[in-house]
Amino acid sequence: MTGIDDLPVRDELRGKSPYGAPQLDVPVRLNTNENPYPLPEPLVERIAERVREAARNLNRYPDRDAVELRTELAKYLTDTGMYAVGVENVWAANGSNEVIQQLLQTFGGPGRTAIGFEPSYSMHGLIARGTSTGWISGPRNDDFTIDLAAAEQAIAEHRPDVVFITTPNNPTGNAVPPETVIALYEAAQASKPSMVVVDEAYIEFSHGDSLLPLLEGRPNLVVSRTMSKAFGAAGLRLGYLAAHPAVVDAVQLVRLPYHLSAVTQATALAALEHTETLLKYVERLKAERDRLVGELRAIGYEVTESDANFVQFGRFDGSAGSHEAWQKILDRGVLVRDNGVPGWLRVSAGTPEENDAFLDAVRELKKEQSA
Ligand SMILES: *Cc1c(COP(=O)(O)O)cnc(C)c1O
């Protein structure tokens, strides 16, 4: 039978596996940082209405530049980010993964490199591979903060074309201080102009503020965002970026024409009408996240400081220990994530009931392991 390796696939894809968390059918799924709250019913009705209108024009291509949607996204960023951006600063695509892909198609590619500080969001490296951009794994401290001196040195040595900074970081949960981002931006410009992409997928859950104001005077900085987490709309597939207008012009060189369907644009616009309600769920999740941190510590686990809607906890005995713990928690009906960080697991903040089920499971696990 013909397999992938019998096909003339590109060399860099040979022997590789596709990205994906296990999708298991268990009662409590806290493994993909989804928002546990379904969209409120009035918003579901509004989506139906706007999609019905859009359906009347589906014989036509959608607005290629998604102007109305980008205008509303710019308003949202301006209202919440303490920095004014306009439609010319904002670009949107099918999930922030597509935004990142477009950025790497524009600023990376064959003969170029990108760096990330790992452990971090593994899709940055995978999208680099998919766009034939060389990937450099930069260092972190043992406590998962970015080791600034080592990071600056890695940038000076490799002179990457694109630098990824995820804040709050996934899977560790900690935010990166603005001074560190500024220092890395400067390091990245030292020998030649490089793009610095700040992935703020979880910023709405942070105790601190968005780094949007850092865009002032930094034309090579990009802040990427998503409606997958805070807006509770992972199924929608809508990500966006804010940057200098020239960056928005540049990504248009690689975007497919009409990449954002009329249905997607209508749905995202409906969701943005309900921002206030959706951000109330974010406040609940932040409180639950803080509760998880407190209770995990009380049980006796180590926890990484979290500014996201998930918590990294441990420590288990290396990779084997975290995998064993993952399985034992799963045996109790709760699915968490083993991101391959030796000794650590990640749990997404769910509803209070889901979090209670998780805490019961890890409490039992602790008893078992210290018995
Ligand atoms: C979840 C996540 C995203 C979101 O990707 P979408 O394609 O918008 O769903 C982006 N970056 C990080 C770090 C994430 O964890």
Side-chain angles (χ1 to χ4, degrees):
M1 229 174 56
T2 304
I4 291 178
D5 288 336
D6 300 310
L7 299 172
V9 295
R10 288 158 46 197
D11 292 339
E12 60 261 53
L13 302 181
R14 288 195 175 274
K16 297 295 185 343
S17 328
Y19 173 88
Q23 293 190 312
L24 303 177
D25 192 15
V26 294
V28 180
R29 282 178 303 182
L30 299 175
N31 67 327
T32 53
N33 300 343
E34 289 156 335
N35 192 314
Y37 296 106
L39 297 179
E41 203 51 33
L43 171 52
V44 171
E45 290 304 319
R46 185 64 185 133
I47 290 172
E49 236 171 70
R50 287 199 79 136
V51 168
R52 191 180 304 115
E53 276 168 44
R56 300 209 168 90
N57 287 311
L58 280 183
N59 55 315
R60 303 290 180 190
Y61 282 110
D63 175 6
R64 197 175 49 211
D65 298 326
V67 172
E68 189 187 358
L69 175 57
R70 285 163 56 212
T71 302
E72 292 305 316
L73 288 167
K75 274 189 205 150
Y76 168 69
L77 289 176
T78 301
D79 290 347
T80 56
M82 299 186 309
Y83 185 66
V85 290
V87 60
E88 69 283 3
N89 298 106
V90 174
W91 180 245
N94 295 282
S96 52
N97 280 314
E98 189 180 36
V99 170
I100 290 161
Q101 183 176 53
Q102 292 177 343
L103 287 168
L104 283 172
Q105 286 173 328
T106 308
F107 301 106
R112 292 189 165 207
T113 58
I115 191 170
F117 304 98
E118 296 185 312
S120 189
Y121 187 47
S122 61
M123 281 310 298
H124 296 154
L126 289 175
I127 298 171
R129 188 175 79 203
T131 57
S132 294
T133 310
W135 180 250
I136 299 152
S137 178
R140 261 178 206 268
N141 292 312
D142 288 343
D143 65 358
F144 303 109
T145 55
I146 291 182
D147 179 339
L148 183 55
E152 285 173 330
Q153 201 192 325
I155 289 172
E157 182 186 337
H158 297 287
R159 306 174 70 221
D161 299 278
V162 181
V163 177
F164 284 102
I165 304 169
T166 310
T167 181
N169 188 45
N170 178 14
T172 59
N174 53 314
V176 182
E179 311 82 67
T180 303
V181 175
I182 293 169
L184 293 178
Y185 182 87
E186 275 155 19
Q189 311 309 315
S191 55
K192 63 173 186 194
S194 313
M195 299 306 291
V196 174
V197 180
V198 176
D199 187 336
E200 284 197 337
Y202 299 98
I203 195 63
E204 285 93 342
F205 300 101
S206 180
H207 297 99
D209 295 322
S210 167
L211 297 184
L212 221 48
L214 297 189
L215 290 177
E216 184 65 40
R218 294 188 182 83
N220 296 339
L221 191 71
V222 181
V223 176
S224 88
R225 295 286 199 93
T226 179
M227 294 181 79
S228 292
K229 313 284 162 52
F231 276 79
L236 164 62
R237 310 307 303 133
L238 200 289
Y240 53 105
L241 66 74
H244 191 280
V247 175
V248 175
D249 291 343
V251 293
Q252 311 223 12
L253 299 171
V254 301
R255 61 108 175 89
L256 296 174
Y258 317 108
H259 68 299
L260 266 187
S261 85
V263 173
T264 298
Q265 293 186 40
T267 309
L269 280 164
L272 283 160
E273 288 176 21
H274 288 247
T275 301
E276 215 174 300
T277 315
L278 294 172
L279 291 181
K280 281 188 193 134
Y281 291 114
V282 168
E283 288 308 312
R284 277 196 222 171
L285 285 168
K286 285 170 72 173
E288 279 298 301
R289 178 264 326 274
D290 291 340
R291 180 170 79 95
L292 281 173
V293 169
E295 298 217 17
L296 279 164
R297 284 188 177 141
I299 296 168
Y301 288 101
E302 276 183 59
V303 176
T304 311
E305 219 52 68
S306 176
D307 274 295
N309 66 337
F310 56 83
V311 177
Q312 178 176 261
F313 65 103
R315 270 189 181 179
F316 306 101
D317 192 6
S319 297
S322 35
H323 186 73
E324 187 195 350
W326 176 84
Q327 183 63 55
K328 290 194 161 161
I329 298 167
L330 180 60
D331 293 344
R332 291 172 168 94
V334 181
L335 180 59
V336 297
R337 186 72 172 271
D338 179 358
N339 287 92
V341 183
W344 297 87
L345 293 173
R346 188 191 74 190
V347 61
S348 311
T351 62
E353 298 72 31
E354 289 172 329
N355 297 334
D356 286 340
F358 161 75
L359 287 166
D360 287 345
V362 290
R363 210 172 276 119
E364 283 175 34
L365 177 67
K366 193 68 171 181
K367 270 188 206 144
E368 185 186 306
Q369 295 196 323
S370 44

